[in-house]
Amino acid sequence: MKTSPAASVSFLDKIQTKQATIGIVGLGYVGLPLAIAYADGGFNTVGFDIDGEKTRQINAGRSYIKHIAADTISRGVRSGKLAATTDFSQISEVDAIILCVPTPLDEHFEPDLSYVVKTIEAIVPHLRSGQTISLESTTYPGTTEEELVSRVEAAGLRVGTDVFVVYSPEREDPGNPEFAATNIPKVVGGQTPACLEAGSALYGSVFDQIVPVSSTAVAELTKLLENIYRSVNIGLVNELKLVADSMGIDIWEVIAAASTKPFGFKPFYPGPGLGGHCIPIDPFYLTWKAREFGIHTRFIELAGEINRSMPAHVVRRCADALNMQKKPLNGSRVLMIGLAYKPNVDDDRESPSYELLERFHAAGSEIDYHDPYVPVIRPSREHAHWAGKKSVPWDQATIAGYDLVLISTWHECLDINELAQWSQFIVDTRNATGGLSPEIRLAKTLKA
């Protein structure tokens, strides 16, 4: 492969003059907003994905993610700044390659880097001197060096001289109106000082604030710390919810009161389990890596144990609610509200609602769901047998036909007063019923 001693200068010049072409690999909840940001920033941007339907939608100016408006995509397509392809040979034509692919866990709660490794192996044959490669997928410290740098250098390119490798963890929060991709501070760690300079220039061209750190491993652990912090605190409040329930205390009222303290306290909220692309998964990347060093991460594992136990707790509370009506769980009709993992989005990755579906089905219940943002369950590796199941209508005749309504996720577009009026009984995991009158809450609702 041809190399160039002036690779760094050439890349920095292209970024500064916006002559660089940016390649985004993986066009999901992280990659698509990033591609739009670079196109809006004046860079020619090419999105790469193995899913031809996603690339066709982008090239037609359409969105397949609810909170990403189609006009933000069509604007880039019309201007000629945004295009998408399944042809990875075009990697040779871009100046920066940003990898935004999934990093799930396997059935043993150990890291599954297959998407990262396959993507790296797909791009390496098309790399050339002068490019910057950034990994954004959440992973354990050492991944960038072990999996990316090693393969790049085995192909004959010197990292830090010919090409530049960085790790910059994604911080996307789907559906959060306060934060777009570019106004969230961007942590960047480089394999060498020259790599850090290239990565800082790459992200500094569209992000408001860059946070440089001393290595890719520091950047990798930064992302894990952010999500372990959340996982542990959610585990704590989930455990406190169980204690409060046994004492007849409303944990939501307790959290609201504690939140009035102006220092030293940040509210976290209980729920039916963890969902999303980060918190249920990321902590176990560190747990796995720590075992290599003989360290047992007790806080992380305990929080994971508590959080994973919440769906079973919710089903038990639903059984209690049905018992109050002299009905068994086996044979009862249950309607679950919300399949997405969080409010107001269509993102159902790792949603605890799927485990709830499984548990009710195993218990002999007839289980359905309503979610205006997930009208039909899409095919996936984890939930293939639920694929094609449709959201039931939101109307009195439908909802009144269920013995129990379970609120797993509450979207703002739904009407809690209608639900309370139409349903026979509600089990609420999200405090959606908190604003109902005390009389209705006492007669028709149960917190879980």
Side-chain angles (χ1 to χ4, degrees):
M1 292 186 180
K2 186 179 179 181
T3 62
S4 167
S8 176
V9 174
S10 174
F11 179 78
L12 296 175
D13 285 345
K14 286 183 176 181
I15 290 291
Q16 186 174 9
T17 60
K18 297 192 175 182
Q19 297 302 304
T21 299
I22 312 298
I24 310 293
V25 182
L27 298 172
Y29 289 87
V30 174
L32 181 55
L34 196 58
I36 293 168
Y38 276 101
D40 284 347
F43 291 91
N44 289 327
T45 306
V46 181
F48 295 85
D49 204 289
I50 60 173
D51 185 345
E53 181 57 29
K54 286 182 180 177
T55 60
R56 283 190 291 273
Q57 293 271 43
I58 290 172
N59 291 330
R62 295 192 293 265
S63 176
Y64 42 86
I65 297 176
K66 175 194 168 291
H67 68 276
I68 298 177
D71 62 1
T72 65
I73 299 172
S74 61
R75 179 174 63 239
V77 173
R78 289 195 308 270
S79 68
K81 294 295 183 182
L82 179 62
T85 183
T86 58
D87 180 5
F88 277 65
S89 70
Q90 293 185 33
I91 288 290
S92 62
E93 301 171 16
V94 305
D95 300 291
I97 304 131
I98 303 176
L99 310 181
C100 307
V101 296
T103 46
L105 297 171
D106 66 16
E107 63 272 18
H108 304 295
F109 288 92
E110 294 188 348
D112 176 2
L113 291 183
S114 60
Y115 294 95
V116 170
V117 171
K118 288 177 182 177
T119 301
I120 293 170
E121 291 176 345
I123 69 170
V124 163
H126 309 292
L127 295 179
R128 58 170 173 78
S129 180
Q131 291 178 312
T132 293
I133 308 114
S134 175
L135 178 61
E136 292 209 0
S137 306
T138 304
T139 187
Y140 56 81
T143 301
T144 304
E145 184 167 4
E146 295 165 12
E147 303 295 345
L148 179 53
V149 171
S150 63
R151 286 176 169 81
V152 169
E153 295 198 324
L157 290 165
R158 295 168 295 171
V159 171
T161 303
D162 304 324
V163 296
F164 310 97
V165 173
V166 301
Y167 181 83
S168 181
E170 60 86 9
R171 284 175 162 174
E172 191 69 21
D173 188 12
N176 188 332
E178 294 185 33
F179 296 105
T182 56
N183 67 354
I184 303 169
K186 198 76 169 96
V187 174
V188 182
Q191 183 68 15
T192 69
C195 293
L196 179 58
E197 183 180 22
S200 297
L202 169 63
Y203 287 109
S205 63
V206 293
F207 281 81
D208 295 344
Q209 181 182 352
I210 301 303
V211 183
V213 295
S214 60
S215 68
T216 57
V218 169
E220 288 162 336
L221 187 54
T222 297
K223 172 63 174 178
L224 295 182
L225 174 59
E226 293 169 7
N227 287 324
I228 289 167
Y229 167 77
R230 295 177 67 190
S231 175
V232 168
N233 279 282
I234 292 170
L236 172 63
V237 78
N238 274 329
E239 187 170 55
L240 287 175
K241 175 176 71 172
L242 303 181
V243 175
D245 282 349
S246 68
M247 297 178 174
I249 298 171
D250 185 347
I251 189 63
W252 295 89
E253 183 179 0
V254 173
I255 296 169
S259 297
T260 63
K261 185 179 180 181
F263 54 89
F265 182 82
K266 177 179 174 59
F268 288 83
Y269 300 98
L274 292 183
H277 63 298
C278 288
I279 304 177
I281 296 172
D282 298 354
F284 293 100
Y285 272 71
L286 187 61
T287 291
W288 178 84
K289 188 65 174 179
R291 289 201 295 268
E292 182 181 316
F293 297 88
I295 297 173
H296 179 40
T297 52
R298 290 175 290 171
F299 269 115
I300 298 172
E301 293 177 42
L302 179 59
E305 180 183 328
I306 293 169
N307 291 327
R308 290 197 306 276
S309 74
M310 296 318 296
H313 164 74
V314 169
V315 173
R316 286 194 297 270
R317 293 292 277 172
C318 289
D320 292 341
L322 287 165
N323 284 339
M324 291 164 57
Q325 304 170 69
K326 296 182 169 55
K327 297 177 181 179
L329 189 59
N330 190 347
S332 290
R333 301 190 71 223
V334 178
L335 176 63
M336 184 173 65
I337 304 297
L339 195 68
Y341 85 90
K342 63 181 286 189
N344 311 319
V345 301
D346 59 354
D347 190 348
D348 62 347
R349 290 173 295 170
E350 305 296 329
S351 175
S353 296
Y354 282 109
E355 185 172 348
L356 291 169
L357 284 176
E358 299 286 0
R359 287 182 174 274
F360 280 109
H361 179 71
S365 302
E366 181 183 337
I367 178 72
D368 291 310
Y369 81 96
H370 173 82
D371 193 318
Y373 301 136
V374 189
V376 61
I377 295 179
R378 294 160 285 204
S380 68
R381 181 175 61 173
E382 300 87 352
H383 313 295
H385 54 292
W386 292 106
K389 187 174 180 65
K390 295 181 179 179
S391 171
V392 303
W394 179 270
D395 59 53
Q396 182 171 1
T398 299
I399 292 173
Y402 290 92
D403 301 297
L404 181 74
V405 171
L406 167 64
I407 298 176
S408 179
T409 299
W410 186 252
H411 299 300
E412 292 177 359
C413 64
L414 303 175
D415 188 327
I416 192 61
N417 292 299
E418 286 183 345
L419 188 65
Q421 178 185 346
W422 297 342
S423 61
Q424 296 186 40
F425 201 87
I426 299 172
V427 173
D428 182 9
T429 72
R430 299 293 190 178
N431 201 36
T433 58
L436 296 174
S437 70
E439 294 79 17
I440 294 176
R441 289 204 308 272
L442 182 63
K444 297 188 69 171
T445 71
L446 184 70
K447 294 286 181 68

